[in-house]
PDB file of all heavy atoms in Angstrom:
ATOM      1  N   TRP A1262      -9.507 -21.991 -10.048  1.00  0.00           N
ATOM      2  CA  TRP A1262      -8.273 -22.755 -10.187  1.00  0.00           C
ATOM      3  C   TRP A1262      -7.053 -21.890  -9.841  1.00  0.00           C
ATOM      4  O   TRP A1262      -6.135 -22.325  -9.149  1.00  0.00           O
ATOM      5  CB  TRP A1262      -8.169 -23.298 -11.606  1.00  0.00           C
ATOM      6  CG  TRP A1262      -6.830 -23.861 -11.972  1.00  0.00           C
ATOM      7  CD1 TRP A1262      -5.996 -23.447 -12.958  1.00  0.00           C
ATOM      8  CD2 TRP A1262      -6.157 -24.973 -11.356  1.00  0.00           C
ATOM      9  NE1 TRP A1262      -4.864 -24.194 -12.998  1.00  0.00           N
ATOM     10  CE2 TRP A1262      -4.934 -25.145 -12.019  1.00  0.00           C
ATOM     11  CE3 TRP A1262      -6.484 -25.822 -10.308  1.00  0.00           C
ATOM     12  CZ2 TRP A1262      -4.025 -26.130 -11.678  1.00  0.00           C
ATOM     13  CZ3 TRP A1262      -5.567 -26.816  -9.953  1.00  0.00           C
ATOM     14  CH2 TRP A1262      -4.371 -26.963 -10.637  1.00  0.00           C
ATOM     15  N   GLN A1263      -7.056 -20.631 -10.285  1.00  0.00           N
ATOM     16  CA  GLN A1263      -5.949 -19.736  -9.982  1.00  0.00           C
ATOM     17  C   GLN A1263      -5.829 -19.483  -8.483  1.00  0.00           C
ATOM     18  O   GLN A1263      -4.734 -19.376  -7.938  1.00  0.00           O
ATOM     19  CB  GLN A1263      -6.138 -18.406 -10.728  1.00  0.00           C
ATOM     20  CG  GLN A1263      -5.954 -18.511 -12.242  1.00  0.00           C
ATOM     21  CD  GLN A1263      -4.565 -18.989 -12.611  1.00  0.00           C
ATOM     22  OE1 GLN A1263      -3.563 -18.438 -12.167  1.00  0.00           O
ATOM     23  NE2 GLN A1263      -4.500 -20.037 -13.428  1.00  0.00           N
ATOM     24  N   LYS A1264      -6.981 -19.404  -7.803  1.00  0.00           N
ATOM     25  CA  LYS A1264      -6.955 -19.218  -6.348  1.00  0.00           C
ATOM     26  C   LYS A1264      -6.332 -20.427  -5.656  1.00  0.00           C
ATOM     27  O   LYS A1264      -5.581 -20.295  -4.699  1.00  0.00           O
ATOM     28  CB  LYS A1264      -8.378 -18.999  -5.828  1.00  0.00           C
ATOM     29  CG  LYS A1264      -8.993 -17.671  -6.243  1.00  0.00           C
ATOM     30  CD  LYS A1264     -10.422 -17.555  -5.736  1.00  0.00           C
ATOM     31  CE  LYS A1264     -11.080 -16.268  -6.212  1.00  0.00           C
ATOM     32  NZ  LYS A1264     -12.500 -16.177  -5.763  1.00  0.00           N
ATOM     33  N   ILE A1265      -6.644 -21.629  -6.146  1.00  0.00           N
ATOM     34  CA  ILE A1265      -6.092 -22.859  -5.571  1.00  0.00           C
ATOM     35  C   ILE A1265      -4.577 -22.908  -5.773  1.00  0.00           C
ATOM     36  O   ILE A1265      -3.816 -23.244  -4.861  1.00  0.00           O
ATOM     37  CB  ILE A1265      -6.752 -24.092  -6.216  1.00  0.00           C
ATOM     38  CG1 ILE A1265      -8.224 -24.177  -5.803  1.00  0.00           C
ATOM     39  CG2 ILE A1265      -6.024 -25.382  -5.807  1.00  0.00           C
ATOM     40  CD1 ILE A1265      -9.010 -25.248  -6.531  1.00  0.00           C
ATOM     41  N   VAL A1266      -4.128 -22.561  -6.975  1.00  0.00           N
ATOM     42  CA  VAL A1266      -2.691 -22.546  -7.274  1.00  0.00           C
ATOM     43  C   VAL A1266      -1.966 -21.587  -6.342  1.00  0.00           C
ATOM     44  O   VAL A1266      -0.903 -21.904  -5.789  1.00  0.00           O
ATOM     45  CB  VAL A1266      -2.459 -22.154  -8.752  1.00  0.00           C
ATOM     46  CG1 VAL A1266      -0.970 -21.909  -9.007  1.00  0.00           C
ATOM     47  CG2 VAL A1266      -2.975 -23.243  -9.678  1.00  0.00           C
ATOM     48  N   LYS A1267      -2.540 -20.386  -6.140  1.00  0.00           N
ATOM     49  CA  LYS A1267      -1.908 -19.385  -5.283  1.00  0.00           C
ATOM     50  C   LYS A1267      -1.937 -19.806  -3.818  1.00  0.00           C
ATOM     51  O   LYS A1267      -0.944 -19.688  -3.101  1.00  0.00           O
ATOM     52  CB  LYS A1267      -2.623 -18.044  -5.455  1.00  0.00           C
ATOM     53  CG  LYS A1267      -2.017 -16.912  -4.646  1.00  0.00           C
ATOM     54  CD  LYS A1267      -2.731 -15.604  -4.923  1.00  0.00           C
ATOM     55  CE  LYS A1267      -2.115 -14.469  -4.109  1.00  0.00           C
ATOM     56  NZ  LYS A1267      -2.797 -13.177  -4.362  1.00  0.00           N
ATOM     57  N   ARG A1268      -3.084 -20.327  -3.373  1.00  0.00           N
ATOM     58  CA  ARG A1268      -3.255 -20.685  -1.961  1.00  0.00           C
ATOM     59  C   ARG A1268      -2.269 -21.759  -1.532  1.00  0.00           C
ATOM     60  O   ARG A1268      -1.737 -21.745  -0.435  1.00  0.00           O
ATOM     61  CB  ARG A1268      -4.692 -21.159  -1.725  1.00  0.00           C
ATOM     62  CG  ARG A1268      -5.005 -21.442  -0.252  1.00  0.00           C
ATOM     63  CD  ARG A1268      -6.414 -22.008  -0.105  1.00  0.00           C
ATOM     64  NE  ARG A1268      -7.385 -21.180  -0.792  1.00  0.00           N
ATOM     65  CZ  ARG A1268      -8.303 -21.649  -1.630  1.00  0.00           C
ATOM     66  NH1 ARG A1268      -8.385 -22.946  -1.881  1.00  0.00           N
ATOM     67  NH2 ARG A1268      -9.157 -20.839  -2.207  1.00  0.00           N
ATOM     68  N   HIS A1269      -2.018 -22.743  -2.416  1.00  0.00           N
ATOM     69  CA  HIS A1269      -1.177 -23.881  -2.056  1.00  0.00           C
ATOM     70  C   HIS A1269       0.233 -23.802  -2.642  1.00  0.00           C
ATOM     71  O   HIS A1269       0.995 -24.769  -2.582  1.00  0.00           O
ATOM     72  CB  HIS A1269      -1.847 -25.184  -2.502  1.00  0.00           C
ATOM     73  CG  HIS A1269      -3.158 -25.434  -1.814  1.00  0.00           C
ATOM     74  ND1 HIS A1269      -3.243 -25.839  -0.508  1.00  0.00           N
ATOM     75  CD2 HIS A1269      -4.438 -25.308  -2.254  1.00  0.00           C
ATOM     76  CE1 HIS A1269      -4.522 -25.974  -0.167  1.00  0.00           C
ATOM     77  NE2 HIS A1269      -5.266 -25.657  -1.208  1.00  0.00           N
ATOM     78  N   ALA A1270       0.580 -22.637  -3.202  1.00  0.00           N
ATOM     79  CA  ALA A1270       1.931 -22.406  -3.737  1.00  0.00           C
ATOM     80  C   ALA A1270       2.349 -23.485  -4.731  1.00  0.00           C
ATOM     81  O   ALA A1270       3.471 -23.984  -4.709  1.00  0.00           O
ATOM     82  CB  ALA A1270       2.936 -22.325  -2.592  1.00  0.00           C
ATOM     83  N   LEU A1271       1.442 -23.864  -5.615  1.00  0.00           N
ATOM     84  CA  LEU A1271       1.733 -24.890  -6.609  1.00  0.00           C
ATOM     85  C   LEU A1271       2.475 -24.284  -7.789  1.00  0.00           C
ATOM     86  O   LEU A1271       2.229 -23.155  -8.185  1.00  0.00           O
ATOM     87  CB  LEU A1271       0.432 -25.530  -7.117  1.00  0.00           C
ATOM     88  CG  LEU A1271      -0.444 -26.232  -6.070  1.00  0.00           C
ATOM     89  CD1 LEU A1271      -1.743 -26.688  -6.712  1.00  0.00           C
ATOM     90  CD2 LEU A1271       0.293 -27.420  -5.492  1.00  0.00           C
ATOM     91  N   HIS A1272       3.414 -25.036  -8.330  1.00  0.00           N
ATOM     92  CA  HIS A1272       4.049 -24.622  -9.576  1.00  0.00           C
ATOM     93  C   HIS A1272       4.516 -25.861 -10.319  1.00  0.00           C
ATOM     94  O   HIS A1272       4.435 -26.965  -9.821  1.00  0.00           O
ATOM     95  CB  HIS A1272       5.204 -23.652  -9.327  1.00  0.00           C
ATOM     96  CG  HIS A1272       6.356 -24.242  -8.578  1.00  0.00           C
ATOM     97  ND1 HIS A1272       6.375 -24.353  -7.210  1.00  0.00           N
ATOM     98  CD2 HIS A1272       7.534 -24.746  -9.002  1.00  0.00           C
ATOM     99  CE1 HIS A1272       7.518 -24.896  -6.823  1.00  0.00           C
ATOM    100  NE2 HIS A1272       8.233 -25.151  -7.887  1.00  0.00           N
ATOM    101  N   TRP A1273       4.976 -25.661 -11.546  1.00  0.00           N
ATOM    102  CA  TRP A1273       5.347 -26.775 -12.401  1.00  0.00           C
ATOM    103  C   TRP A1273       6.851 -26.790 -12.622  1.00  0.00           C
ATOM    104  O   TRP A1273       7.511 -25.767 -12.613  1.00  0.00           O
ATOM    105  CB  TRP A1273       4.649 -26.646 -13.756  1.00  0.00           C
ATOM    106  CG  TRP A1273       3.174 -26.822 -13.684  1.00  0.00           C
ATOM    107  CD1 TRP A1273       2.451 -27.934 -13.974  1.00  0.00           C
ATOM    108  CD2 TRP A1273       2.217 -25.841 -13.272  1.00  0.00           C
ATOM    109  NE1 TRP A1273       1.110 -27.719 -13.778  1.00  0.00           N
ATOM    110  CE2 TRP A1273       0.938 -26.438 -13.348  1.00  0.00           C
ATOM    111  CE3 TRP A1273       2.295 -24.515 -12.847  1.00  0.00           C
ATOM    112  CZ2 TRP A1273      -0.229 -25.761 -13.021  1.00  0.00           C
ATOM    113  CZ3 TRP A1273       1.140 -23.838 -12.516  1.00  0.00           C
ATOM    114  CH2 TRP A1273      -0.097 -24.453 -12.606  1.00  0.00           C
ATOM    115  N   ARG A1274       7.356 -27.991 -12.833  1.00  0.00           N
ATOM    116  CA  ARG A1274       8.779 -28.136 -13.149  1.00  0.00           C
ATOM    117  C   ARG A1274       8.895 -28.971 -14.398  1.00  0.00           C
ATOM    118  O   ARG A1274       8.235 -29.999 -14.547  1.00  0.00           O
ATOM    119  CB  ARG A1274       9.525 -28.816 -11.981  1.00  0.00           C
ATOM    120  CG  ARG A1274      11.030 -28.887 -12.232  1.00  0.00           C
ATOM    121  CD  ARG A1274      11.750 -29.436 -11.003  1.00  0.00           C
ATOM    122  NE  ARG A1274      11.404 -30.828 -10.763  1.00  0.00           N
ATOM    123  CZ  ARG A1274      11.811 -31.513  -9.695  1.00  0.00           C
ATOM    124  NH1 ARG A1274      12.508 -30.912  -8.766  1.00  0.00           N
ATOM    125  NH2 ARG A1274      11.483 -32.783  -9.554  1.00  0.00           N
ATOM    126  N   HIS A1275       9.779 -28.538 -15.311  1.00  0.00           N
ATOM    127  CA  HIS A1275       9.979 -29.269 -16.556  1.00  0.00           C
ATOM    128  C   HIS A1275      11.076 -30.311 -16.337  1.00  0.00           C
ATOM    129  O   HIS A1275      12.186 -29.999 -15.932  1.00  0.00           O
ATOM    130  CB  HIS A1275      10.412 -28.290 -17.655  1.00  0.00           C
ATOM    131  CG  HIS A1275      10.463 -28.922 -19.017  1.00  0.00           C
ATOM    132  ND1 HIS A1275       9.325 -29.227 -19.729  1.00  0.00           N
ATOM    133  CD2 HIS A1275      11.510 -29.313 -19.767  1.00  0.00           C
ATOM    134  CE1 HIS A1275       9.673 -29.763 -20.887  1.00  0.00           C
ATOM    135  NE2 HIS A1275      10.988 -29.829 -20.927  1.00  0.00           N
ATOM    136  N   THR A1276      10.769 -31.561 -16.567  1.00  0.00           N
ATOM    137  CA  THR A1276      11.726 -32.631 -16.320  1.00  0.00           C
ATOM    138  C   THR A1276      12.353 -33.109 -17.616  1.00  0.00           C
ATOM    139  O   THR A1276      11.936 -32.759 -18.712  1.00  0.00           O
ATOM    140  CB  THR A1276      11.025 -33.827 -15.646  1.00  0.00           C
ATOM    141  OG1 THR A1276       9.991 -34.298 -16.513  1.00  0.00           O
ATOM    142  CG2 THR A1276      10.396 -33.398 -14.333  1.00  0.00           C
ATOM    143  N   ASP A1277      13.386 -33.964 -17.491  1.00  0.00           N
ATOM    144  CA  ASP A1277      14.125 -34.427 -18.659  1.00  0.00           C
ATOM    145  C   ASP A1277      13.266 -35.250 -19.612  1.00  0.00           C
ATOM    146  O   ASP A1277      13.541 -35.318 -20.799  1.00  0.00           O
ATOM    147  CB  ASP A1277      15.339 -35.269 -18.210  1.00  0.00           C
ATOM    148  CG  ASP A1277      16.358 -34.410 -17.477  1.00  0.00           C
ATOM    149  OD1 ASP A1277      16.360 -33.174 -17.710  1.00  0.00           O
ATOM    150  OD2 ASP A1277      17.130 -34.960 -16.693  1.00  0.00           O
ATOM    151  N   ASP A1278      12.222 -35.885 -19.076  1.00  0.00           N
ATOM    152  CA  ASP A1278      11.385 -36.709 -19.942  1.00  0.00           C
ATOM    153  C   ASP A1278      10.205 -35.921 -20.521  1.00  0.00           C
ATOM    154  O   ASP A1278       9.234 -36.478 -21.002  1.00  0.00           O
ATOM    155  CB  ASP A1278      10.872 -37.948 -19.193  1.00  0.00           C
ATOM    156  CG  ASP A1278      10.072 -37.572 -17.951  1.00  0.00           C
ATOM    157  OD1 ASP A1278       9.889 -36.355 -17.711  1.00  0.00           O
ATOM    158  OD2 ASP A1278       9.638 -38.487 -17.244  1.00  0.00           O
ATOM    159  N   ASN A1279      10.325 -34.556 -20.445  1.00  0.00           N
ATOM    160  CA  ASN A1279       9.329 -33.661 -21.033  1.00  0.00           C
ATOM    161  C   ASN A1279       7.943 -33.822 -20.415  1.00  0.00           C
ATOM    162  O   ASN A1279       6.922 -33.540 -21.043  1.00  0.00           O
ATOM    163  CB  ASN A1279       9.219 -33.880 -22.556  1.00  0.00           C
ATOM    164  CG  ASN A1279      10.512 -33.515 -23.259  1.00  0.00           C
ATOM    165  OD1 ASN A1279      11.128 -32.512 -22.916  1.00  0.00           O
ATOM    166  ND2 ASN A1279      10.922 -34.323 -24.201  1.00  0.00           N
ATOM    167  N   PHE A1280       7.905 -34.245 -19.176  1.00  0.00           N
ATOM    168  CA  PHE A1280       6.616 -34.401 -18.496  1.00  0.00           C
ATOM    169  C   PHE A1280       6.528 -33.372 -17.387  1.00  0.00           C
ATOM    170  O   PHE A1280       7.407 -33.285 -16.537  1.00  0.00           O
ATOM    171  CB  PHE A1280       6.509 -35.810 -17.907  1.00  0.00           C
ATOM    172  CG  PHE A1280       5.224 -36.030 -17.159  1.00  0.00           C
ATOM    173  CD1 PHE A1280       4.019 -36.155 -17.841  1.00  0.00           C
ATOM    174  CD2 PHE A1280       5.233 -36.098 -15.777  1.00  0.00           C
ATOM    175  CE1 PHE A1280       2.845 -36.354 -17.139  1.00  0.00           C
ATOM    176  CE2 PHE A1280       4.068 -36.305 -15.081  1.00  0.00           C
ATOM    177  CZ  PHE A1280       2.861 -36.434 -15.763  1.00  0.00           C
ATOM    178  N   ASN A1281       5.492 -32.549 -17.389  1.00  0.00           N
ATOM    179  CA  ASN A1281       5.312 -31.527 -16.371  1.00  0.00           C
ATOM    180  C   ASN A1281       4.458 -32.082 -15.239  1.00  0.00           C
ATOM    181  O   ASN A1281       3.455 -32.739 -15.474  1.00  0.00           O
ATOM    182  CB  ASN A1281       4.602 -30.303 -16.964  1.00  0.00           C
ATOM    183  CG  ASN A1281       5.469 -29.598 -17.966  1.00  0.00           C
ATOM    184  OD1 ASN A1281       6.682 -29.584 -17.821  1.00  0.00           O
ATOM    185  ND2 ASN A1281       4.860 -29.029 -18.991  1.00  0.00           N
ATOM    186  N   PHE A1282       4.839 -31.802 -14.029  1.00  0.00           N
ATOM    187  CA  PHE A1282       4.054 -32.284 -12.896  1.00  0.00           C
ATOM    188  C   PHE A1282       4.059 -31.244 -11.789  1.00  0.00           C
ATOM    189  O   PHE A1282       4.897 -30.352 -11.749  1.00  0.00           O
ATOM    190  CB  PHE A1282       4.591 -33.616 -12.368  1.00  0.00           C
ATOM    191  CG  PHE A1282       6.013 -33.538 -11.862  1.00  0.00           C
ATOM    192  CD1 PHE A1282       6.271 -33.283 -10.535  1.00  0.00           C
ATOM    193  CD2 PHE A1282       7.082 -33.722 -12.734  1.00  0.00           C
ATOM    194  CE1 PHE A1282       7.573 -33.230 -10.067  1.00  0.00           C
ATOM    195  CE2 PHE A1282       8.384 -33.659 -12.266  1.00  0.00           C
ATOM    196  CZ  PHE A1282       8.625 -33.408 -10.939  1.00  0.00           C
ATOM    197  N   PHE A1283       3.092 -31.350 -10.889  1.00  0.00           N
ATOM    198  CA  PHE A1283       2.999 -30.431  -9.767  1.00  0.00           C
ATOM    199  C   PHE A1283       4.133 -30.677  -8.790  1.00  0.00           C
ATOM    200  O   PHE A1283       4.505 -31.805  -8.523  1.00  0.00           O
ATOM    201  CB  PHE A1283       1.673 -30.631  -9.023  1.00  0.00           C
ATOM    202  CG  PHE A1283       0.492 -30.164  -9.790  1.00  0.00           C
ATOM    203  CD1 PHE A1283      -0.480 -31.058 -10.197  1.00  0.00           C
ATOM    204  CD2 PHE A1283       0.360 -28.831 -10.106  1.00  0.00           C
ATOM    205  CE1 PHE A1283      -1.574 -30.625 -10.896  1.00  0.00           C
ATOM    206  CE2 PHE A1283      -0.734 -28.382 -10.797  1.00  0.00           C
ATOM    207  CZ  PHE A1283      -1.708 -29.283 -11.203  1.00  0.00           C
ATOM    208  N   GLU A1284       4.626 -29.591  -8.250  1.00  0.00           N
ATOM    209  CA  GLU A1284       5.658 -29.710  -7.227  1.00  0.00           C
ATOM    210  C   GLU A1284       5.357 -28.718  -6.128  1.00  0.00           C
ATOM    211  O   GLU A1284       5.020 -27.568  -6.377  1.00  0.00           O
ATOM    212  CB  GLU A1284       7.033 -29.412  -7.820  1.00  0.00           C
ATOM    213  CG  GLU A1284       8.167 -29.563  -6.813  1.00  0.00           C
ATOM    214  CD  GLU A1284       9.486 -29.120  -7.416  1.00  0.00           C
ATOM    215  OE1 GLU A1284       9.612 -27.947  -7.780  1.00  0.00           O
ATOM    216  OE2 GLU A1284      10.372 -29.962  -7.525  1.00  0.00           O
ATOM    217  N   LYS A1285       5.438 -29.157  -4.915  1.00  0.00           N
ATOM    218  CA  LYS A1285       5.172 -28.291  -3.776  1.00  0.00           C
ATOM    219  C   LYS A1285       6.190 -28.600  -2.689  1.00  0.00           C
ATOM    220  O   LYS A1285       6.180 -29.678  -2.110  1.00  0.00           O
ATOM    221  CB  LYS A1285       3.752 -28.503  -3.260  1.00  0.00           C
ATOM    222  CG  LYS A1285       3.397 -27.635  -2.073  1.00  0.00           C
ATOM    223  CD  LYS A1285       2.003 -27.959  -1.598  1.00  0.00           C
ATOM    224  CE  LYS A1285       1.685 -27.185  -0.328  1.00  0.00           C
ATOM    225  NZ  LYS A1285       0.373 -27.571   0.230  1.00  0.00           N
ATOM    226  N   GLU A1286       7.096 -27.651  -2.415  1.00  0.00           N
ATOM    227  CA  GLU A1286       8.105 -27.868  -1.391  1.00  0.00           C
ATOM    228  C   GLU A1286       7.466 -27.739  -0.014  1.00  0.00           C
ATOM    229  O   GLU A1286       6.598 -26.896   0.196  1.00  0.00           O
ATOM    230  CB  GLU A1286       9.236 -26.846  -1.514  1.00  0.00           C
ATOM    231  CG  GLU A1286      10.006 -26.906  -2.818  1.00  0.00           C
ATOM    232  CD  GLU A1286       9.396 -26.021  -3.901  1.00  0.00           C
ATOM    233  OE1 GLU A1286       8.280 -25.510  -3.678  1.00  0.00           O
ATOM    234  OE2 GLU A1286      10.024 -25.864  -4.937  1.00  0.00           O
ATOM    235  N   ASN A1287       7.898 -28.557   0.924  1.00  0.00           N
ATOM    236  CA  ASN A1287       7.414 -28.374   2.287  1.00  0.00           C
ATOM    237  C   ASN A1287       8.294 -27.352   2.992  1.00  0.00           C
ATOM    238  O   ASN A1287       9.356 -26.960   2.499  1.00  0.00           O
ATOM    239  CB  ASN A1287       7.362 -29.710   3.040  1.00  0.00           C
ATOM    240  CG  ASN A1287       8.728 -30.332   3.211  1.00  0.00           C
ATOM    241  OD1 ASN A1287       9.682 -29.678   3.628  1.00  0.00           O
ATOM    242  ND2 ASN A1287       8.848 -31.622   2.902  1.00  0.00           N
ATOM    243  N   ILE A1288       7.872 -26.947   4.167  1.00  0.00           N
ATOM    244  CA  ILE A1288       8.564 -25.844   4.840  1.00  0.00           C
ATOM    245  C   ILE A1288       9.999 -26.201   5.212  1.00  0.00           C
ATOM    246  O   ILE A1288      10.898 -25.354   5.154  1.00  0.00           O
ATOM    247  CB  ILE A1288       7.769 -25.389   6.084  1.00  0.00           C
ATOM    248  CG1 ILE A1288       8.402 -24.124   6.682  1.00  0.00           C
ATOM    249  CG2 ILE A1288       7.668 -26.510   7.107  1.00  0.00           C
ATOM    250  CD1 ILE A1288       7.568 -23.484   7.763  1.00  0.00           C
TER     251      ILE A1288
END
Side-chain angles (χ1 to χ4, degrees):
W1262 168 241
Q1263 290 300 308
K1264 291 178 183 178
I1265 292 172
V1266 171
K1267 182 177 180 180
R1268 185 184 309 131
H1269 297 286
L1271 300 175
H1272 65 278
W1273 292 261
R1274 184 174 67 186
H1275 188 74
T1276 60
D1277 293 336
D1278 58 2
N1279 296 319
F1280 178 72
N1281 293 327
F1282 61 92
F1283 289 116
E1284 182 186 62
K1285 180 183 175 185
E1286 298 89 351
N1287 63 49
I1288 187 171

